[in-house]
Amino acid sequence: MQQSETELMLRGYGLTTAELYYRMPDFRSVLNSFIWQDYDLAPDHPRLFKFIEFWQDSIEGPLHSVRFTHRKLIAPGEWRNVVGEFRVN
């Protein structure tokens, strides 16, 4: 069952963005980049490493390097339900 992004963030997932540099299959001296983004759990990053394993097994261009960042947008303790609103004129 697919979960919404909000449900994932409330369970502790954060947005992971990775920039993969790889060598072109036909021209090994040429580097190209690919941006990958998904919700993942820090510090183990299972989805990122699963994608890197997929790349190494299925894509012809060998990886040169990977840079990534992880950002928790909200955490379970930061969310609260607001029932009302007061307006001051």
Side-chain angles (χ1 to χ4, degrees):
M1 185 172 143
Q2 196 75 349
Q3 295 181 336
S4 73
E5 293 175 0
T6 305
E7 290 173 330
L8 287 173
M9 287 187 285
L10 289 173
R11 290 183 46 221
Y13 283 75
L15 188 62
T16 300
T17 304
E19 186 173 16
L20 295 91
Y21 292 95
Y22 64 96
R23 297 190 183 279
M24 298 294 290
D26 296 335
F27 303 99
R28 298 295 174 144
S29 61
V30 177
L31 285 177
N32 204 357
S33 67
F34 179 82
I35 302 293
W36 175 88
Q37 200 171 49
D38 200 358
Y39 287 93
D40 209 354
L41 286 170
D44 296 332
H45 300 286
R47 291 185 179 182
L48 174 61
F49 286 112
K50 184 177 179 183
F51 180 75
I52 290 173
E53 288 174 6
F54 164 78
W55 185 288
Q56 292 173 337
D57 294 341
S58 304
I59 307 295
E60 289 183 22
L63 287 175
H64 175 269
S65 59
V66 177
R67 290 186 335 168
F68 71 95
T69 184
H70 178 83
R71 170 84 179 177
K72 282 183 123 176
L73 302 176
I74 60 173
E78 296 174 357
W79 185 84
R80 60 188 179 118
N81 187 17
V82 177
V83 186
E85 180 179 327
F86 294 102
R87 291 191 174 211
V88 178
N89 291 335

